Amino acid sequence: SVKVSQKPANTPPPITPGPSPTPSKDRFGITKLNPTAAGGMEWSSSWDNGHARTIGNAIDPDDKWFDTAHGEGRYAIDGKGTLTASGDFVRMYVHDPAKTREWSENLEITLYIKRISETRTLSYSGLQLFARTNHGTNGNEESNICDDRGYGGLVNINGQWSFEKETAHHLDNGYVDVASQRPSGELPLNTWVGFKYVLRNMDDNTKVKLELYRDMTGGLNGGSWQKITEFIDNGNNFGVDRGACRPGVDPALPLIHSFIDDSSETGKPMLTVYVRHEYGTMAYSDFSIREITPLP
């Protein structure tokens, strides 16, 4: 479901299961680390609407904002709050179905994940959640390379948490990871792990602060959120000397509208938030995206 001061086109009807939201907790009862911005948009998964369903590479018939048409996977929703995604290329996009309203630059994204199994293990196996990206939402991701740029929050199955900047899609040097932390052992099997990804501009919209938080309580009393890692992209420390999305574009640019709009192929470089994993099965629940305020 989506809430916003001015409803975007094609907004799905609100859904009511779960606890009532409070100023400090979302509709799933999970603690908000930052309040929703005045007039800010909120989206939450409708996997608890009582309607069990399985979708392939399509748009969820119960939520036009939830789009799994970009990968190759199977998405089984139990109607009680859990989505189980399996396949070689799981891709779950959340965007305005009219493909007009971009997400704010400043977001708090919450998601619980459960690692179930892998059919193949890669260096990047695990959860990858990207924001400030378009990545083929209203164009071709193979040609709109500047629109593919984004900030990822990553949790590898080896237990490593980090951030990734995509600077040039499919180039060997078009990705860079920073601020890796391994707070414990590998990502446990069959265990719900809470994941929060906070992105905020700072210093008068010239830098970007990224933060990742973990909850190992399964959301008990809103969760016990521990900061795992953080990083500030100042324009000189994240993407330097990596692949450029096109000649003349600095790959180290912070992904802020004023810096990247002139190189965006569609003019909407922040149209989507998307979740991905490869070659395996993971379960997801309590997924929400909220627009928050930037830092000073």
Side-chain angles (χ1 to χ4, degrees):
S1 67
V2 177
K3 293 191 301 181
V4 67
S5 56
Q6 292 184 316
K7 281 195 169 187
N10 300 318
T11 300
I15 53 179
T16 52
S20 297
T22 69
S24 61
K25 292 184 178 179
D26 67 20
R27 78 170 193 87
F28 301 116
I30 305 303
T31 299
K32 302 176 182 179
L33 301 183
N34 302 277
T36 305
M41 188 162 66
E42 300 183 33
W43 172 89
S44 58
S45 55
S46 60
W47 308 332
D48 59 345
N49 68 349
H51 179 209
R53 56 204 186 271
T54 298
I55 54 178
N57 306 119
I59 293 170
D60 183 355
D62 288 12
D63 180 0
K64 302 305 182 188
W65 284 71
F66 187 66
D67 173 5
T68 61
H70 296 262
E72 297 173 20
R74 178 180 180 273
Y75 308 87
I77 298 165
D78 67 359
K80 301 173 184 176
T82 298
L83 176 148
T84 303
S86 57
D88 292 350
F89 306 104
V90 166
R91 301 288 186 273
M92 300 183 285
Y93 281 49
V94 181
H95 62 82
D96 173 13
K99 301 180 181 178
T100 55
R101 191 199 196 282
E102 296 180 85
W103 283 106
S104 162
E105 293 170 312
N106 307 289
L107 298 174
E108 180 173 322
I109 305 167
T110 307
L111 179 63
Y112 279 77
I113 59 171
K114 183 194 290 186
R115 176 188 172 198
I116 297 174
S117 63
E118 291 85 40
T119 58
R120 179 179 167 194
T121 302
L122 307 167
S123 62
Y124 50 87
S125 292
L127 171 72
Q128 302 179 48
L129 199 163
F130 276 82
R132 300 200 187 191
T133 188
N134 177 306
H135 222 283
T137 302
N138 66 339
N140 186 336
E141 72 179 48
E142 301 303 327
S143 56
N144 291 355
I145 307 299
C146 292
D147 273 348
D148 292 341
R149 290 174 293 184
Y151 286 124
L154 280 55
V155 184
N156 199 293
I157 61 170
N158 69 8
Q160 201 154 25
W161 295 59
S162 62
F163 304 105
E164 182 170 282
K165 192 178 199 176
E166 181 168 355
T167 65
H169 187 56
H170 283 338
L171 285 188
D172 287 343
N173 68 338
Y175 309 83
V176 58
D177 288 13
V178 294
S180 293
Q181 294 289 333
R182 196 161 182 256
S184 51
E186 69 175 27
L187 190 65
L189 286 162
N190 300 309
T191 302
W192 286 112
V193 176
F195 172 93
K196 271 188 186 284
Y197 185 18
V198 178
L199 308 90
R200 289 177 291 179
N201 288 356
M202 58 182 291
D203 289 356
D204 198 25
N205 294 311
T206 62
K207 301 173 185 173
V208 182
K209 186 173 188 181
L210 308 172
E211 301 168 282
L212 289 179
Y213 297 81
R214 181 181 70 168
D215 168 43
M216 296 301 296
T217 73
L220 181 67
N221 298 321
S224 177
W225 293 98
Q226 168 198 12
K227 184 185 284 184
I228 301 298
T229 187
E230 66 177 37
F231 187 77
I232 294 173
D233 182 354
N234 64 19
N236 300 299
N237 60 350
F238 199 9
V240 177
D241 298 328
R242 306 305 290 181
C245 64
R246 81 166 57 134
V249 175
D250 181 2
L253 284 174
L255 302 181
I256 294 170
H257 275 298
S258 60
F259 296 148
I260 68 170
D261 280 356
D262 61 352
S263 54
S264 165
E265 291 89 355
T266 68
K268 294 187 181 296
M270 302 184 191
L271 197 53
T272 204
V273 170
Y274 73 89
V275 177
R276 57 179 282 177
H277 77 251
E278 266 79 20
Y279 298 107
T281 300
M282 293 179 75
Y284 298 87
S285 71
D286 296 355
F287 186 12
S288 68
I289 307 169
R290 298 184 301 103
E291 297 182 342
I292 60 176
T293 55
L295 291 164

